[in-house]
Amino acid sequence: MLNFLKNFSAKSKPQSIALLDLGTSSVKAAIVDLTTFTPTLLGFGEELFKNGTILSGLVSDLNDFQETAGRALRKASLACGFTPPGLVFPLSGEFVKSVTVDLEVKRPTAGRLGRGEKDKIEKEIKRQVAGEIKKEFSRISGDPSPEVESFYERVVSFESSDGIGLESLAAVIEPTFKVSVLASFASSPTRKLLEKISRGLNKKNLLVFDQTVGLLDLIKKTRGNFSAVLVDVGFQVTDVCLVSLGKIVGERTIPLGGRDLTINLCQKLGLTTEDAEERKRRGEFSPSEAADFFKLWTYSLDQSLTEITQGSKFARIPVYFFGRGIKPENIREALGEFVKGSSTSFLNFLDVYGLDKGLTPEINYTGADNNHLSFLPLLSAVEVFQKSYVPDKF
Amino acid sequence: MYRISSESDGLWQTIERIKKVEDTEIELVVSGSSPLLENLLAFKILKARAGQLGKNLRFLFDDSNYAYLEELLNGGQVRSPVDSSNLPHTVSAEKFRLFGFLSSLPRPHFNFRRLSFGPTLLLLLVIILITAGAVFVFYFSPHAKVTLTVDSEPLVKVIDIEASPNITTVTKDPPSVPAFEITAEAKQSESTPSSGQKEIGNKAVGRVTIYNKTTADVTFPAGTTVSKSQINADNLNFITKSDVTVPARTADPAAQSGYDPGTAGVDVVAGSLGDEYNVSSGSIFSVGTKATSDFVASNQDSFGGGSRQEVKVVTATDAAGLLNSLETALQSGLKKTLLDKVISGQTINEDSINYEVVSKNYDKNPGDQADSLTLNLDLKASVLAFSQNDLNSLVGQLLSNYVPDGYELFGKDQNVQVQSSQYAGGVLTVTARGTGFVVPKIDQNEIKRELISQRVSRANEILTSLGKISSYSLSRSGLNLLPFMPFRAKNLEVVVIRK
């Protein structure tokens, strides 16, 4: 009877989806039509949290958190006249982390995999991925026995032991082969939080994953299996993700963001919060006017990368910055003088990467205005969602 | 030691507060609602940044759930008790961390007294009936029959088997079948013309006088050749029968040459048979190797008695050819006799018949003058016969040892052919070629387990992926409202047809 039930669980792709980006200052919502050859953005909306709803990336006021998500979704719905029944959560910050787990599978004998053996290997891969996730989460939280859940898993590559790419498990003949699995994970209460939001909005939770996975896929389209540090600068937190040869090595969140830069400008220049925010957005400040912030921020970037690599040194590696209001020249100037004294080599070379360099998701923007540019991480999630309907590589 | 508390401060604010503290030893008391919790990196940055500012930072957590962080960050130092009364921290009931929000979720509340059981029971009954109907329609009714066709493949093995008269039963190790000897004997006489030839006759004899023109006496031993030269033919050679001394010449002024040669006579015999050696008188001969200017010989009388004729004789080849011819003729007859003696179910290998000459008598010996040769030959033949059924049975048993893994012998019709046989030491070694058929083993129960409850499309995929079969058919019967295979094992029949 279990087989019988399993057959009913086969999912069909919805015609449209609503995406919710839960940030530290606002919730962004987008509604995308998936029936067109290229997905079409039908509507989007953004709503700000009340002051204090999020503290250092963590939810402090659950009610406002839920209500803000509802308002953002309604705003997006107004543009197209409907709300899809399914929600997709491309998460970021403290909500989720990702890691690529490289495994080596050894079998007693060579030959094509039988059905039983294939199932056994799949189970073993999943078991080992779960173990690696637990270890990684333990390193992030310090909790030796964390309650962690895998939200999203994708086979990144299959390789024979001598490095020849394999299409899938069905192509395996060798007794030993390597598999890389990209996994997004978070603490168990995060899932319950998302379920609560979905229930509150009377929607179905379709897919939860890390926004960084979308950015990774997007950059890989033009740069292949690149190596870089992706830095997503948010309002309260900064996400740091180390990518090596197209695989996520690890991810950390620094509880520092644009808000802290504003505070530093207020203190240093004696401005009101509103004035400081305005100058920050326009980039009308010199790095020395926010020296304390930049020192701590640069130092924190170094620390986070040291944490990810557990002390191993990387060769010179570009750093790509994302985030609203990020201006390449500002970042370069602001960080340039501070990285000179850096104890690691991570920040020796800076590159600021954004939409101006052709990093564009394959989305039709019919029906939406030009503000979609600030929705880059959110929209890059559409392709990840599409991929989740491609049969599993296993 | 200066103690500060952290409730809702973030990283930036906390650093700013640490900067303002003049004391170098600082304890940071972290409340259970701090947004920094569960981000180990934040604390590490704090500690390291404080170190850069020349301050030693220790962490104290007032929530025992985070004792592991305290131990991790303070390097296992024993915490000092937190005197919360001195700290101005207040935890708002409305604020809670992301991972602690569950405690504020509304809990389910039931009041059993308000439930009415009448309609509920009716509803339950209807649900049970519908469920029972659905179970019948979807679970018991659908039937399916899967017919798998597998093709047989030949299995050919060459096996050496002993046929021995010393055993009475078939044995597998070593592979042996019982055998018994059949014999036959035949006599025959046959003649053949002699093919050899021989010359017979007499040598010519006569007497020659040797003339010595030299000034010294010369003695020629017996056996010295005197030769008469001929035009267009070989010299005719004669042999002296005895020693002869020819005296030196003597002066004779009257003679034209001024001397008289010395002379001596000696008997000679022809070197070979033939009347051409009957030379006429007055013939001139050279003597030995001497020059004719010094020595010559001549016969006063003609030579006579020389003669020659050719006759037929028996040769060794005649004898061998006659034996071979007679053996072939006898063997052919004996083979037929042996085959006549084999009864139904027995078999012999004609190549293994052993022939033995009992006696052979020629009437002439090689070299004898005769026009023909006659041979009387007595030949005996023997062969080991064995049961073809015994051989087939044994090869069939042995073939099963060579069936590859995953296959099984199919059918009982093994073909056994004797390729060759060799008789030695009273035992016949038969090289037999056994041909059988094998088919892949199909575990019908395993396939049935895989197909049960699968979607029909998936079932087709599974059947298509079965590498061992050559074709399959899938037919469904009963109430098949859903595109699924039957959910009951009893309703699914898997049949294997082997060709």
Side-chain angles (χ1 to χ4, degrees), chain B residues 3-4 39 41 64 121 210 252-253 259 271 318 349 352 375 381 383 386 447 464 480 489 498:
Chain B
R3 181 174 286 184
I4 55 177
N39 187 343
L41 178 64
S64 59
L121 282 175
I210 300 172
D252 183 2
Y259 63 84
D318 295 336
N349 186 279
S352 68
L375 170 64
V383 70
F386 53 89
I447 292 171
T464 307
N480 284 294
R498 299 172 175 87

Side-chain angles (χ1 to χ4, degrees), chain B residues 295-308:
Chain B
F295 295 91
V296 291
S298 176
N299 60 331
Q300 281 76 34
D301 300 314
S302 299
F303 290 176
S307 65
R308 181 174 54 208

Side-chain angles (χ1 to χ4, degrees), chain A residues 170-187:
Chain A
V172 171
I173 296 175
E174 296 83 350
T176 305
F177 63 93
K178 291 181 277 189
V179 58
S180 295
V181 179
L182 169 64
S184 298
F185 54 93
S187 66

Side-chain angles (χ1 to χ4, degrees), chain A residues 3-4 59 115 187 299 307, chain B residues 44 48 96 99 453 458 487:
Chain A
N3 281 336
F4 167 78
V59 179
R115 190 174 167 78
S187 66
Y299 181 78
E307 282 287 312
Chain B
K44 286 187 175 178
F96 51 91
F99 303 142
S453 82
R458 175 64 189 147
F487 302 114

Side-chain angles (χ1 to χ4, degrees), chain B residues 252-271:
Chain B
D252 183 2
Q256 190 177 355
S257 59
Y259 63 84
D260 290 327
T263 61
V266 65
D267 292 335
V268 295
V269 62

Side-chain angles (χ1 to χ4, degrees), chain A residues 41 44 365-373 375:
Chain A
L41 176 66
F44 61 89
Y365 296 102
T366 314
D369 65 26
N370 290 331
N371 284 334
H372 65 264
L373 294 178
F375 285 68

